[in-house]
Amino acid sequence: MNMNSMKRRKKFRKPIAILTAAVLAFVMVPQTVAFGQVEVKEDGEIRVTAGKDEIVNETRNTDIVAQKYGLYIESNGKVTYTLNGNVDAAKEGNVSAIRMSGTNITLKTGDVTATNGRAFTAEFAGGKVTLGNLKSKGGISAMSIGKTNSLELTAGNMESETSNYLTNQWYGSAEGGNVTANFGDITTTKGGCPLALTTSREGTMNVKAGKLSAYNEAGLSITGSSDGKAVVNVGEIVTAGDDFRATGIYTSGGTADIDVTVDGNITSGGRSLSLGDGGTYKIFGDVTSKGKDFAAFSNWSNYSDTDVLVTGTVTAPGHGFENVRLQETTKYTLTLWKLVWGEQSDAFHGDDENETFAKSVNYIVKTTQPSVGSFKVVKADGTSALDTKTYKHGDNDEVFEVAHQGDRLYIKSDAKIVKAYNGSGADKVELPKDDAGNYFYDVVKGGGMEFSVELEGAEPTASPDPSASPAPTAEPGTDPTPAPTVKPTTKKKNPMTVTVNRIYGKAKHTVTVKKNKAFNIKNAKGTLSFKKISGSKRFTINKKTGDIRIEQHLKKGKKYFMVVQVTAAGNKTYKSKSVKVELRIKIH
């Protein structure tokens, strides 16, 4: 052996010895790992327990079928449980098919059926839970408390008889936890609320769901207080039944930060929105209350500002809005496109004599632009753009042009406007012109502004057909006797103007108000006719004379409204013209 080899062996001898000793030490003294317990009970229940510093990591590839609890998890350590199957349990007793408590729980299962109890219950729990479709008698109940604790819950479609509860607070806790949930469609069948949320103690709830359907109960209920926060996004809300509890959205509490988005319609058997807590409510669709004598909206929050957006039509058989006289410390913002209320009801019940609330409503201005060219709607000065309201919708901002009751709007375009309309289809009505020839519209209570125009030169002129036969040529000395060319006569615009006066009825007697007492009609060309558009069924108008009949048995001291369309038929020189006006009627 040469000297170089000996030197190399000496060089590596010490490190090899150290490595050998380390390996022997590991083999002779193995590291301790604390495992929890998984127990399969006689009735089919799987019970998982993990104490402090213990772990459970198990996968099961068969269904769980049990009489009472199907899967029961208690964790003070860490549990990961994957069920590649379904749970069919809670067949007897008031128990849950899946019940869990504690922290650091990761759970995944297939569909869950609970014949006689809840599908899922989480008590003081934190972790990530993913479930399939849920069908149960008792719905779900999940609670997460403490700022450092959070629960992420995902499930498919859910069907139950009673309510589904989510909360991030407990009365004995000092701090609220965080709950994030994502569901499919949720249906309750026997007086249950599809989503009943409670947020408190600075905790946060972030919940998404598809369509919410309920019977004689609110579709979405939020109780908030103590600076809790709830962010909710659902697809559509439908509540059947005629009970006052069949509300679309119901909130109570006072000081929570609430942000609700509905990406579809709200259709309710009772009120559509009953808001006892402030916040922002965005409905990107129509709101319809079908319950007899119920209002579309009721607001009774005296703690927080409230901001409501409805991009479609609000319809109610009773009042459009009630409880509008709020405390001075709160502010209510209402933005909508169109409001339709009952004949014997008010648009805004409880408003003051000056209609302070009614005139503060933001009515959305819709425009249908022509295929060629464009137009815009401006304020009464003829140049200023309309006011706007901006609402967050997903990752984007939705900006709406708005106007208020009594505002005069003008239609402007770089091209000449041949005609301008409000409405759509067969219901569209040509707008009037002022003395300068500008199309305008005076905003009435209820909104519903959907403007469109015909622009000069916007429609392309048809090209002559080269294949068409030429016109016949007369032989010399003969009379071709062509059909005579008649130039169309251009009629002038009807200069009629219409304003109204306040009129009065009597609670105990039927009254007839003559046309000249109700209307101030000037420069009308052609025969006049009158048509009632909306108002109490106790109000009628003579189509020919314009006299108004106000029947008895109306409430003394109450204000009513009636919308009438006045039409001048025109004549050989002037076009016809229709004007809608709103009459105020007070009962003595």
Side-chain angles (χ1 to χ4, degrees):
M1 184 179 294
N2 60 36
M3 292 297 295
N4 289 334
S5 297
M6 293 179 65
K7 287 180 180 180
R8 284 197 295 269
R9 292 186 64 181
K10 288 180 180 180
K11 184 177 180 180
F12 288 104
R13 186 175 297 159
K14 188 173 181 180
I16 291 172
I18 294 173
L19 179 60
T20 303
V23 172
L24 290 172
F26 180 80
V27 173
M28 295 175 64
V29 186
Q31 299 296 312
T32 302
V33 178
F35 292 101
Q37 182 178 5
V38 178
E39 180 183 3
V40 181
K41 296 201 166 185
E42 291 183 359
D43 65 351
E45 174 191 333
I46 305 272
R47 185 167 291 239
V48 180
T49 306
K52 186 178 180 181
D53 298 327
E54 293 182 339
I55 67 170
V56 171
N57 190 339
E58 178 166 299
T59 298
R60 180 185 176 96
N61 295 315
T62 58
D63 295 343
I64 296 177
V65 180
Q67 289 300 112
K68 294 185 177 180
Y69 294 110
L71 179 61
Y72 198 129
I73 300 175
E74 293 179 317
S75 173
N76 287 318
K78 182 177 181 181
V79 171
T80 301
Y81 199 94
T82 302
L83 175 65
N84 295 320
N86 304 319
V87 178
D88 183 1
K91 299 173 185 295
E92 60 183 45
N94 187 19
V95 298
S96 300
I98 299 177
R99 185 183 184 93
M100 57 180 267
S101 63
T103 58
N104 294 323
I105 299 173
T106 301
L107 172 63
K108 184 177 181 180
T109 76
D111 297 343
V112 180
T113 302
T115 308
N116 200 46
R118 292 194 183 279
F120 174 80
T121 296
E123 293 183 337
F124 314 107
K128 185 174 183 179
V129 178
T130 304
L131 309 173
N133 298 321
L134 310 183
K135 186 172 183 179
S136 65
K137 180 179 181 179
I140 69 171
S141 176
M143 177 192 301
S144 178
I145 63 171
K147 281 187 176 181
T148 59
N149 204 13
S150 64
L151 175 64
E152 296 181 37
L153 177 58
T154 301
N157 296 331
M158 299 162 56
E159 181 181 336
S160 63
E161 294 183 6
T162 56
S163 301
N164 297 287
Y165 297 100
L166 296 177
T167 179
N168 64 359
Q169 64 92 25
W170 180 59
Y171 295 107
S173 64
E175 298 176 342
N178 301 311
V179 175
T180 301
N182 197 329
F183 305 121
D185 296 342
I186 307 177
T187 302
T188 55
T189 58
K190 292 188 177 180
C193 176
L195 275 180
L197 313 179
T198 303
T199 181
S200 182
R201 292 169 174 77
E202 299 183 358
T204 299
M205 304 197 74
N206 196 318
V207 181
K208 293 183 179 181
K211 181 179 179 180
L212 306 182
S213 303
Y215 179 79
N216 274 349
E217 187 55 82
L220 171 63
S221 172
I222 303 176
T223 301
S225 62
S226 303
D227 300 318
K229 183 175 182 179
V231 180
V232 183
N233 190 309
V234 299
E236 181 183 358
I237 299 177
V238 177
T239 61
D242 56 3
D243 193 281
F244 73 95
R245 293 172 296 182
T247 304
I249 299 176
Y250 174 88
T251 65
S252 63
T255 58
D257 180 2
I258 297 176
D259 189 333
V260 175
T261 300
V262 181
D263 285 318
N265 302 327
I266 295 179
T267 306
S268 59
R271 295 182 182 92
S272 297
L273 280 82
S274 181
L275 307 179
D277 204 345
T280 302
Y281 304 84
K282 296 164 286 188
I283 298 95
F284 292 91
D286 296 328
V287 171
T288 305
S289 172
K290 293 188 174 181
K292 184 180 179 181
D293 298 329
F294 285 117
F297 296 109
S298 174
N299 184 79
W300 43 282
S301 173
N302 293 315
Y303 302 98
S304 304
D305 293 346
T306 307
D307 191 346
V308 177
L309 165 73
V310 181
T311 63
T313 301
V314 176
T315 307
H319 303 310
F321 197 103
E322 62 186 4
N323 299 340
V324 298
R325 290 184 177 178
L326 309 175
Q327 290 188 7
E328 294 182 358
T329 55
T330 61
K331 180 181 178 182
Y332 201 105
T333 302
L334 179 59
T335 304
L336 54 89
W337 177 60
K338 185 177 181 180
L339 177 65
V340 179
W341 61 96
E343 288 189 349
Q344 299 187 52
S345 304
D346 298 327
F348 305 103
H349 186 61
D351 204 358
D352 59 32
E353 184 73 17
N354 296 321
E355 297 187 282
T356 302
F357 187 89
K359 293 177 181 177
S360 72
V361 175
N362 299 302
Y363 291 113
I364 297 171
V365 177
K366 295 182 179 181
T367 61
T368 302
Q369 295 292 332
S371 57
V372 179
S374 64
F375 74 99
K376 60 183 177 180
V377 184
V378 299
K379 291 184 178 179
D381 62 10
T383 57
S384 299
L386 300 182
D387 297 332
T388 59
K389 289 291 296 179
T390 302
Y391 292 88
K392 194 76 172 177
H393 188 199
D395 296 329
N396 302 313
D397 288 333
E398 295 276 354
V399 181
F400 300 93
E401 289 188 314
V402 297
H404 304 91
Q405 177 184 328
D407 288 351
R408 173 160 288 192
L409 310 180
Y410 278 94
I411 311 298
K412 292 291 184 179
S413 176
D414 292 337
K416 182 179 178 180
I417 301 176
V418 179
K419 287 185 179 180
Y421 304 94
N422 180 35
S424 60
D427 295 329
K428 70 180 182 181
V429 177
E430 185 176 353
L431 298 178
K433 281 187 176 182
D434 63 9
D435 293 338
N438 297 305
Y439 280 104
F440 71 91
Y441 179 78
D442 292 328
V443 181
V444 299
K445 185 183 301 177
M449 294 166 285
E450 187 176 9
F451 298 120
S452 60
V453 298
E454 293 177 14
L455 299 178
E456 189 175 71
E459 295 295 331
T461 303
S463 301
D465 186 353
S467 64
S469 300
T473 304
E475 294 292 333
T478 63
D479 183 5
T481 61
T485 303
V486 180
K487 286 188 176 181
T489 57
T490 302
K491 290 187 178 182
K492 297 180 181 180
K493 298 186 182 302
N494 203 313
M496 178 183 70
T497 61
V498 183
T499 59
V500 295
N501 304 315
R502 183 188 289 272
I503 59 177
Y504 300 88
K506 293 185 178 181
K508 296 183 179 180
H509 301 283
T510 297
V511 173
T512 298
V513 178
K514 293 295 183 180
K515 176 188 71 175
N516 293 338
K517 290 286 186 180
F519 304 97
N520 302 309
I521 304 174
K522 297 181 180 179
N523 302 319
K525 305 299 181 182
T527 304
L528 288 173
S529 62
F530 302 82
K531 180 181 179 181
K532 175 184 171 184
I533 302 300
S534 64
S536 171
K537 65 182 180 181
R538 296 188 182 277
F539 305 150
T540 56
I541 188 166
N542 188 298
K543 294 181 180 181
K544 293 183 178 181
T545 67
D547 296 344
I548 297 171
R549 178 182 171 90
I550 305 172
E551 296 182 7
Q552 59 182 330
H553 303 309
L554 292 166
K555 189 174 181 180
K556 186 177 181 179
K558 189 173 180 180
K559 296 183 298 181
Y560 293 87
F561 300 90
M562 179 182 179
V563 177
V564 173
Q565 179 174 290
V566 182
T567 300
N571 50 36
K572 293 182 179 180
T573 306
Y574 292 92
K575 298 179 180 179
S576 65
K577 180 178 180 179
S578 295
V579 177
K580 288 183 182 179
V581 290
E582 183 180 68
L583 289 157
R584 299 183 184 181
I585 304 169
K586 191 166 184 179
I587 306 302
H588 291 316

